[in-house]
Amino acid sequence: MVIPVLIGVSIIVFCLLRVFAPDPAPIVLGEHATAASMKAWRDSQGLNKPVVTQYVNYMKGVFHGDLGYSYYTNTKVTDEIMARFPATIELAITAIIFASIFGIILGVIAAVKKNSIFDAASTLIALVGVSIPIFWLGILLMMIFCGPSTHIFPAGGRITPLMDPTHITGLYTLDSLFTGNWAAFKDAVWHLVLPSFTLGMYSMAIITRITRSTMLDSLNQDYVRTARAKGIREVMVVMKHALRNSMIPVTTVIGLQFGALLGGALLTESVFSWPGIGKFTVDCILKSDFPIVQGIVLLIAAIFVLVNLAADIAYAFLDPRIRYTSKKEE
């Protein structure tokens, strides 16, 4: 189903841009452009052809790894995206790691200590995480930790300019580790703290609630009562028996949230001046730079689908009872 989903996404985005986005010709050529020059530009870009023909030509290029060229810079869409995507992927990975670790911990504690002060505290944290707007939380954290009186964390950017590591993967934390530049690694991590916390807060709240719900269900199962009756330590009962069997729905949520973080990093990137694809996408939408927007959405959709495919495959490792077999094997 991965391929049909991606084709469906490409059709929807392609049509929406043609229907609702303004004509890119006067934006690209400027307000003083003549009708003749705009028509000539549209002809050169193939925009005067029927929409179906435009889509077929676009998909032919996609299947050959060609996403087109930017209307403004006239550079390859893949080059424009890859210049900014590592920043977004690094932020999203850091945010989902933070959200997963703390979300699972808080959910487990809330389930084990049901109706206690710990349960109430985790519920409050989850409620706050779901309710707070990302842009407001980001600005609040900057006021608290980046002001002149505190200045604990940097206010924006990925790294201090003079510490920019040698580019290998485009992920500054990994690049600084590969080159042994520990000062750059520390600086890159320090720049990640506030944006990743801001971006991951909502996902952490969702993971906390799902973990708590599934853990409560697992703790009431017969195999948990049997394990306790055998005298197994409570820590082992919770971690090995209850938590492992609760991880299937949690894994699904983590996969969905990671895809959402990639597509929803716009506000976080804007607040913290993070040079990723989120803000770049909005700028391209306002400029009607169709090839860039189509390429970014298609990339995010592909990652979203593949991450959830990986989550489905991980079920077999989390639960030995699950096996993926073909119809012939069945």
Side-chain angles (χ1 to χ4, degrees):
M1 294 302 295
V2 171
I3 294 176
V5 167
L6 294 180
I7 293 176
V9 169
S10 67
I11 293 174
I12 293 172
V13 174
F14 197 91
C15 293
L16 287 177
L17 287 174
R18 266 63 182 178
V19 173
F20 294 106
D23 182 8
I27 303 176
V28 174
L29 300 179
E31 58 182 7
H32 300 295
T34 63
S37 62
M38 287 191 290
K39 182 179 182 303
W41 183 86
R42 293 191 198 98
D43 289 337
S44 67
Q45 300 296 329
L47 294 176
N48 283 335
K49 297 178 180 179
V51 175
V52 175
T53 303
Q54 293 182 44
Y55 177 76
V56 171
N57 293 335
Y58 173 71
M59 290 306 295
K60 287 180 180 177
V62 170
F63 286 128
H64 289 86
D66 181 13
L67 298 178
Y69 291 80
S70 170
Y71 290 160
Y72 294 86
T73 62
N74 201 32
T75 56
K76 288 185 176 181
V77 171
T78 51
D79 294 340
E80 292 280 5
I81 293 176
M82 294 313 299
R84 298 167 176 84
F85 189 62
T88 298
I89 197 73
E90 184 173 41
L91 177 60
I93 290 175
T94 308
I96 198 63
I97 290 174
F98 154 75
S100 301
I101 292 175
F102 285 93
I104 291 174
I105 291 175
L106 289 175
V108 170
I109 293 175
V112 174
K113 303 291 184 180
K114 183 182 177 182
N115 297 327
S116 68
I117 188 173
F118 299 103
D119 189 13
S122 70
T123 301
L124 177 62
I125 293 173
L127 180 62
V128 171
V130 171
S131 305
I132 292 182
I134 289 179
F135 69 89
W136 184 85
L137 177 61
I139 294 173
L140 179 65
L141 292 176
M142 289 178 65
M143 292 174 62
I144 296 174
F145 296 104
C146 305
S149 58
T150 53
H151 198 63
I152 299 175
F153 297 103
R158 294 182 68 189
I159 199 168
T160 303
L162 295 178
M163 293 187 178
D164 194 355
T166 302
H167 288 201
I168 301 175
T169 64
L171 308 180
Y172 285 180
T173 50
L174 290 182
D175 291 347
S176 56
L177 284 176
F178 291 156
T179 57
N181 191 342
W182 297 107
F185 174 76
K186 179 182 177 181
D187 192 72
V189 171
W190 218 235
H191 278 78
L192 273 167
V193 172
L194 292 186
S196 59
F197 179 84
T198 303
L199 183 61
M201 190 64 182
Y202 177 84
S203 297
M204 186 194 72
I206 299 298
I207 294 171
T208 298
R209 301 309 298 165
I210 293 296
T211 304
R212 179 185 182 276
S213 177
T214 55
M215 278 291 295
L216 286 175
D217 182 63
S218 294
L219 290 172
N220 291 324
Q221 297 298 317
D222 291 338
Y223 59 81
V224 172
R225 285 191 285 267
T226 301
R228 286 171 172 162
K230 289 181 178 180
I232 299 175
R233 289 188 304 164
E234 185 65 17
V235 174
M236 294 299 297
V237 172
V238 172
M239 301 303 295
K240 185 176 180 180
H241 297 277
L243 181 58
R244 183 174 180 180
N245 286 278
S246 301
M247 284 303 295
I248 290 180
V250 175
T251 302
T252 302
V253 171
I254 290 174
L256 291 171
Q257 288 301 312
F258 181 68
L261 291 179
L262 286 174
L266 163 65
L267 294 176
T268 303
E269 291 183 0
S270 300
V271 170
F272 291 97
S273 301
W274 195 264
I277 61 173
K279 189 175 185 303
F280 182 58
T281 303
V282 174
D283 293 339
C284 291
I285 291 174
L286 297 176
K287 296 187 300 184
S288 295
D289 199 344
F290 296 161
I292 296 289
V293 177
Q294 291 164 182
I296 291 176
V297 173
L298 198 60
L299 174 64
I300 292 176
I303 294 176
F304 191 95
V305 172
L306 292 175
V307 167
N308 284 279
L309 176 62
D312 288 343
I313 295 173
Y315 293 167
F317 296 95
L318 294 172
D319 190 342
R321 296 170 296 178
I322 297 177
R323 289 291 180 269
Y324 294 112
T325 58
S326 65
K327 291 185 177 180
K328 292 183 180 179
E329 292 174 324
E330 292 175 352

